[in-house]
Amino acid sequence: MIGTVLVANRGEIARRVMRTCRDMGLGTVAVYALADAGAPHVREADAAVPLDGDGARAYLRPEALVEAAERAGADAVHPGYGFLSESAAFARAVAGAGLTWIGPPAEAIEAMGSKTAAKALAERAGVPVSAALEPERVTEADLPVLVKASAGGGGRGMRVVRALAGLEASVQAARAEAASAFGDPAVFCEPYVERGRHVEVQVLADAHGAVWAVGDRDCSVQRRHQKVIEEAPAPGIGDGLRERLHDAARRMAGAIGYTGAGTAEFLVGEDGEAAFLEMNTRLQVEHPVTECVTGLDLVEWQVRIAEGEPLPEGGPPAPRGHAVQARLYAEDPAAGWRPYSGTVARFDVPAARTRFAVPDGFGVRVDAGVEAGTRVGVEFDPMLAKVIAWGRDRGDALRRLAAALAGARLHGVGANRDLLVRVLRHPVFAAGEMHIRFLAEQGLDGPVPDGGGADGRAEGARPPGGGVPELALPLADARAVRLSALAAALAEAERNRAEAPVLGALPAGWRNLPSAPHVRRYRGPSGEEVEVAYASGRTGPVPAGDAAGVRVHGAAPDRVELLADGVLRAFAVARAEGAVYVDSALGPVALVPEDRFPEREAAVPPGTLLAPMPGTVARVAAAAGDRVEEGAPLLWLEAMKMEHEIRAPVAGTVAEVARAATRADTGTVLAVVEPDPGADGAL
């Protein structure tokens, strides 16, 4: 019997595993890198062990994790997902130290560790697979193809190639990224299915020969080949295909002597034919949707199976209702998925009934890695939380989840929340007609991992005339932003009055005679300037200018009520890290107060490229003295497990460029391109 579990992970999944351990009466041990010293998972564990090093590297040393377990008195290790969760070497090191590994046998992990080897094994087991092509053997007839890393996952080391002229560059880029992310540069190609669906089957297997296919999930809505929205059961696949997928997953698990929780992933084409992609020998990020519809605690069953307990006779529970999960990422979809960083001032989902557990009835669950005070850096994955809705049917779950996200209060760090709500309410998604290029067709694929053709352009098209894709627009429209800005200005006036050392009992801005309007300016959610005005009089503030028809029903430093267009609305107002956050039924709005007396910004010479975010230079494609064309890649900046391509803004000569492995803060000069004489921006 297991007594204490060391969770060899961090963030949301560490907290999730610890919740089940507490329910089972097990002790918990956390590990943490320097950047995670104050993280929630560290505080919630019974004991915690610091790891040498910072960032992801701290969690990637098997010997250090085994030593931490021994030092803290743990007798079992749960790897979570990511990091070393699919490392056969780590599984062997844990077992070699006499500890219980809460996961599949090292041999099973090894068998599925290479995607090409896994495809060959699947074929021998009678499971349909897509062809694995050597890059040098790809012909025009094979296009389009997807270049993939043989090891690892999460969208790293993947490129779509549509023209042979772009193949070599895409393969080299994928190899470099795979080597950096997984320590293995091996890549292969497979046919790229334009509008396929990503469907997977959850597997549970015990050490006594029983293998369960615990339902299926659809994970087709992806950005940069990484999942964004997942749901169970997979909608619209039909009973025949569902049974074939379940049977294939059971055969795969049986063929490698699998035990514990795992997932077989398939790509389903428009013709309904399925091909095996890979098997993840660990718990999946999207496991909560399966837990909701089946009532199973998959982490609990991982522990039970590790202790030798058999699965009950009779098979897995039939799914009840429908569950949908959205991944809340700290990134900006409208800016090429650029990551956000900062300190979370507030994270609250009022609609949530449970955290890290299945609700006792249809409702909303939240699995979060952050809370107020959590610092979000660029060292780790950008996922802040998972919000899951369980409903009577798919429509019920979608409505619950969209409302829960729209009503969430996330202050201090930007996120993709508005995109998630718009996708959940999109008629194509609501009809169950999504596919892996859904976001790409909306112009939201971004330019980095999808190399496109020989010109290196992204595979998805931006809207006509450019601009922000509709799905990435803020939930609050222009009218809502102006009302929110007015509420922010009035709340600020109330706060100033409350803090005033004298005359604090008078109404805000009280004047015996009418006064000139007070004007406040903010930068809105899309970078636009928002100006609002109000006058002061004997009865308090009176909106002016564009808001002259609005009436103030009540105002306090944290809440303002406005009567606009005959409707009374409440606005909750909070400040954090130089921004004002206004939450209302019209949509969340983040505003940045404009400085009345801004300092003059230093001029940036033409052709200078500044780091848009903190990160590390992963690779460099140009050197000082090189002649480059406008749009040519100069380097790749890695932040939050993703690479962001930095391109030449003009045609010219590279004057300087940062070296690989250079750490950069926001605003650091990464490269300088001296424009050609007579070119735009040339002196």
Side-chain angles (χ1 to χ4, degrees):
M1 297 290 289
I2 293 170
T4 300
V5 177
L6 178 135
V7 184
N9 219 294
R10 63 177 298 279
E12 165 266 328
I13 185 56
R15 302 180 78 188
R16 162 71 188 91
V17 172
M18 289 177 189
R19 196 275 304 165
T20 289
C21 288
R22 286 193 297 271
D23 287 352
M24 297 181 72
L26 301 176
T28 57
V29 178
V31 290
Y32 62 94
L34 179 62
D36 280 335
H41 80 277
V42 177
R43 295 196 304 271
E44 292 170 359
D46 296 324
V49 180
L51 300 172
D52 290 335
D54 202 4
R57 290 185 298 274
Y59 296 91
L60 293 172
R61 297 170 53 228
E63 67 284 355
L65 295 165
V66 170
E67 182 186 342
E70 293 174 331
R71 188 186 311 163
D75 53 3
V77 173
H78 192 298
Y81 52 67
F83 294 134
L84 294 175
S85 62
E86 295 180 278
S87 167
F90 185 35
R92 288 193 176 100
V94 169
L99 308 174
T100 298
W101 169 253
I102 304 177
E107 294 74 19
I109 297 174
E110 208 159 48
M112 295 291 102
S114 164
K115 292 182 177 63
T116 50
K119 283 175 178 283
L121 194 152
E123 203 164 13
R124 291 196 297 273
V127 174
V129 299
S130 58
L133 308 171
E134 293 294 331
E136 56 271 15
R137 294 183 180 274
V138 173
T139 67
E140 192 77 38
D142 298 317
L143 298 175
V145 296
L146 181 64
V147 182
K148 298 179 70 172
S150 291
R156 305 297 300 273
M158 297 176 71
R159 299 289 189 282
V160 175
V161 178
R162 302 178 182 281
L164 284 180
L167 177 62
E168 184 178 353
S170 294
V171 167
Q172 293 305 318
R175 281 176 174 155
E177 189 176 355
S180 172
F182 316 122
D184 183 352
V187 300
F188 67 99
C189 298
E190 67 183 17
Y192 182 60
V193 180
E194 294 282 0
R195 297 169 65 86
R197 288 180 58 184
H198 188 121
V199 180
E200 59 190 31
V201 178
Q202 176 69 58
V203 170
L204 270 181
D206 64 24
H208 307 278
V211 180
W212 282 3
V214 192
D216 42 78
R217 302 183 284 254
D218 184 284
C219 311
S220 298
V221 178
Q222 304 176 2
R223 75 12 173 177
R224 296 186 174 183
H225 310 299
Q226 297 190 52
K227 301 165 187 173
V228 175
I229 295 177
E230 303 103 340
E231 55 185 305
I237 64 172
D239 292 341
L241 176 57
R242 175 169 281 113
E243 183 50 44
R244 292 197 300 275
L245 293 175
H246 288 200
D247 180 62
R250 286 189 291 263
R251 274 186 282 147
M252 281 298 301
I256 58 175
Y258 199 83
T259 61
T263 301
E265 301 195 347
F266 301 88
L267 188 63
V268 179
E270 290 186 272
D271 58 2
E273 293 299 316
F276 173 77
L277 289 175
E278 60 183 322
M279 187 166 183
N280 295 122
T281 52
R282 54 171 169 79
L283 198 66
Q284 291 280 88
V285 179
E286 54 272 22
H287 76 274
V289 293
T290 296
E291 291 187 323
C292 285
V293 298
T294 63
L296 296 173
D297 184 327
L298 294 177
V299 175
E300 179 180 349
W301 273 107
Q302 285 185 296
V303 175
R304 288 187 180 191
I305 289 169
E307 290 181 323
E309 184 174 334
L311 291 168
E313 294 184 5
R320 173 172 170 252
H322 198 93
V324 185
Q325 170 178 291
R327 301 190 190 191
L328 195 63
Y329 286 118
E331 59 189 13
D332 184 358
W337 307 101
R338 180 181 300 170
Y340 291 107
S341 60
T343 300
V344 176
R346 181 178 185 180
F347 178 59
D348 176 37
V349 184
R353 295 176 59 178
T354 61
R355 297 191 315 153
F356 305 106
V358 177
D360 56 6
F362 298 127
V364 175
R365 161 182 174 173
V366 173
D367 288 15
V370 302
E371 55 189 29
T374 301
R375 176 70 186 171
V376 177
V378 297
E379 302 92 348
F380 303 107
D381 186 278
M383 190 171 71
L384 303 172
K386 304 180 308 195
V387 183
I388 307 101
W390 177 34
R392 293 183 298 276
D393 52 33
R394 187 170 186 263
D396 183 32
L398 292 180
R399 182 172 57 191
R400 289 175 186 267
L401 183 54
L405 286 165
R409 298 184 179 183
L410 176 59
H411 302 165
V413 177
N416 65 333
R417 181 256 304 275
D418 292 7
L419 168 79
L420 295 173
V421 175
R422 288 189 177 277
V423 170
L424 293 167
R425 292 173 174 168
H426 194 282
V428 172
F429 181 80
E433 298 173 3
M434 61 287 185
H435 50 81
I436 59 175
R437 280 182 49 79
F438 175 76
L439 291 181
E441 290 185 354
Q442 304 295 325
L444 281 165
D445 53 343
V448 176
D450 294 319
D455 58 3
R457 291 181 299 176
E459 62 167 327
R462 285 291 181 187
V468 178
E470 183 179 352
L471 281 183
L473 291 173
L475 289 177
D477 60 19
R479 173 68 169 164
V481 171
R482 286 196 297 273
L483 288 174
S484 298
L486 177 60
L490 296 173
E492 181 184 9
E494 285 297 315
R495 185 177 61 257
N496 292 339
R497 180 185 67 81
E499 296 172 353
V502 295
L503 303 179
L506 293 177
W510 185 88
R511 296 288 188 278
N512 190 42
L513 297 173
S515 67
H518 302 275
V519 177
R520 295 287 184 270
R521 295 182 178 86
Y522 301 91
R523 190 168 71 250
S526 300
E528 75 279 21
E529 184 180 88
V530 184
E531 180 179 290
V532 293
Y534 63 92
S536 300
R538 293 184 179 184
T539 59
V542 179
D546 290 345
V550 178
R551 297 290 177 264
V552 180
H553 190 266
D558 60 353
R559 179 183 170 89
V560 174
E561 294 178 349
L562 300 175
L563 185 64
D565 301 323
V567 179
L568 182 64
R569 299 187 185 277
F571 299 81
V573 183
R575 295 180 67 93
E577 291 200 356
V580 182
Y581 296 89
V582 184
D583 294 290
S584 76
L586 296 176
V589 175
L591 301 163
V592 178
E594 294 283 10
D595 194 338
R596 295 176 61 190
F597 306 102
E599 295 182 5
R600 185 185 297 273
E601 293 184 359
V604 178
T608 301
L609 290 162
L610 307 179
M613 70 206 81
T616 302
V617 177
R619 312 180 266 130
V620 178
D626 286 355
R627 170 74 174 67
V628 295
E629 295 296 333
E630 180 180 350
L634 301 177
L635 57 85
W636 288 264
L637 187 69
E638 182 173 349
M640 290 186 174
K641 291 178 63 180
M642 297 184 69
E643 289 189 354
H644 302 265
E645 194 171 60
I646 306 299
R647 296 175 176 241
V650 294
T653 302
V654 178
E656 60 179 275
V657 63
R659 296 179 180 178
T662 298
R663 291 295 298 269
D665 293 322
T666 302
T668 298
V669 175
L670 296 177
V672 176
V673 178
E674 294 180 350
D676 290 339
D680 241 6
L683 297 177

